[in-house]
Amino acid sequence: MAARSRTSRDRSAPAPDSAAGDASLHVALVMDGNGRWAQKRGLPRTLGHRAGVEALRRTVTAAPKLGVRWLTVFGFSTENWSRPAAEVQELMALPKRYFDSDLKRLEREGVRVRALGRREGLSPDLVALLEEAERRTADNDRFFLQIAFNYGGQADIADAARRLAEAVAEGRLDPASIDETAFAGALSTAGLPPLDLIVRPSGEQRLSNFLLWEAAYAELVFQDILWPDYDEASLAAAITAFRARDRRFGGAVSDDVLVAG
Ligand code: FPP
């Protein structure tokens, strides 16, 4: 049975318009392999990261054509701070590199940008840049691009727990009302539809602290391509693999699968 793109759970974001067909998937991407891509060419890692920005541009253009309406990408993890200072500096410069060339087009083409993760620890200039991208695209709803930056799944869960605990301590929240829905609403991903698919290129097969809560029923696809080489065909292959999955969300195996053995 083909994978169902919509689950029985409600999606809080708007329904796709008719022109977008069944463009309703929420896909997350770990943009991995920039360093190895550069190394293979005898280039500094910085050039791998810059080539990674080009791959992001290609992927954002390709995604809506392939039925994706929400794309969440891992730009910088809370663990990436442990990299050499010069590399951290380069990684911090990538959002500016991307938005300088692409923000006008994203704005014009109906893409809503949202930054996920902690703002604390980022420079005021970078926070202002991310907030400007969010503000300028706030009315868009054709496609949703989430950039996880200074993001860690465990940190996001800890931050959500702290926010809920503060609300309880201040008498604004009844502890009995904290359930999965309330908890999800305190995460930096609040309001996003359930995650359908996590794709990781570069041959590594782990989540690396990306979207731990949100991954609960996401399908995982790992690909042997380095991120700077990623293109429309790569994403199409990942989505083809996803569509062949039988998503049961903990429910029973369907009769046709049982009959087929
Ligand atoms: C991991 O590859 C990649 C990163 C830490 C950075 C990814 C970011 C981008 C591709 C561009 C982001 C753009 C925006 C707008 C934020 P790696 O360097 O760890 O690769 P390796 O495993 O081969 O060393």
Side-chain angles (χ1 to χ4, degrees), residues 31-36 45 49 52 75 80 83 91 94 98 227:
M31 304 185 286
D32 193 21
N34 299 345
R36 276 164 286 166
R45 293 175 63 82
H49 295 313
N80 287 154
R83 294 194 177 198
L91 291 168
L94 295 180
Y98 179 57
W227 175 251

Side-chain angles (χ1 to χ4, degrees), residues 15 41 45 66 74 80 133 143-144 162 183 188 203 239 250 252:
R41 288 163 178 74
R45 293 175 63 82
L66 298 169
F74 209 176
N80 287 154
F143 185 81
F144 298 86
R162 189 180 326 103
F183 201 94
S188 77
I239 290 171

Side-chain angles (χ1 to χ4, degrees), residues 100-119:
D100 277 354
S101 59
D102 283 46
L103 185 56
K104 270 207 182 83
R105 191 174 49 80
L106 296 172
E107 201 178 352
R108 198 176 54 237
E109 292 182 356
V111 178
R112 182 169 184 172
V113 175
R114 175 168 161 190
L116 307 178
R118 289 177 173 165
R119 306 279 158 114

Side-chain angles (χ1 to χ4, degrees), residues 149-201:
F149 206 88
N150 197 20
Y151 173 89
Q154 292 180 340
D156 212 43
I157 290 169
D159 290 349
R162 189 180 326 103
R163 278 192 278 273
L164 293 171
E166 282 166 1
V168 169
E170 290 165 12
R172 292 182 282 115
L173 183 68
D174 175 2
S177 71
I178 300 177
D179 57 9
E180 293 92 324
T181 305
F183 201 94
L187 294 163
S188 77
T189 53
L192 292 177
L195 187 56
D196 293 302
L197 168 65
I198 299 181
V199 181
R200 182 167 191 159

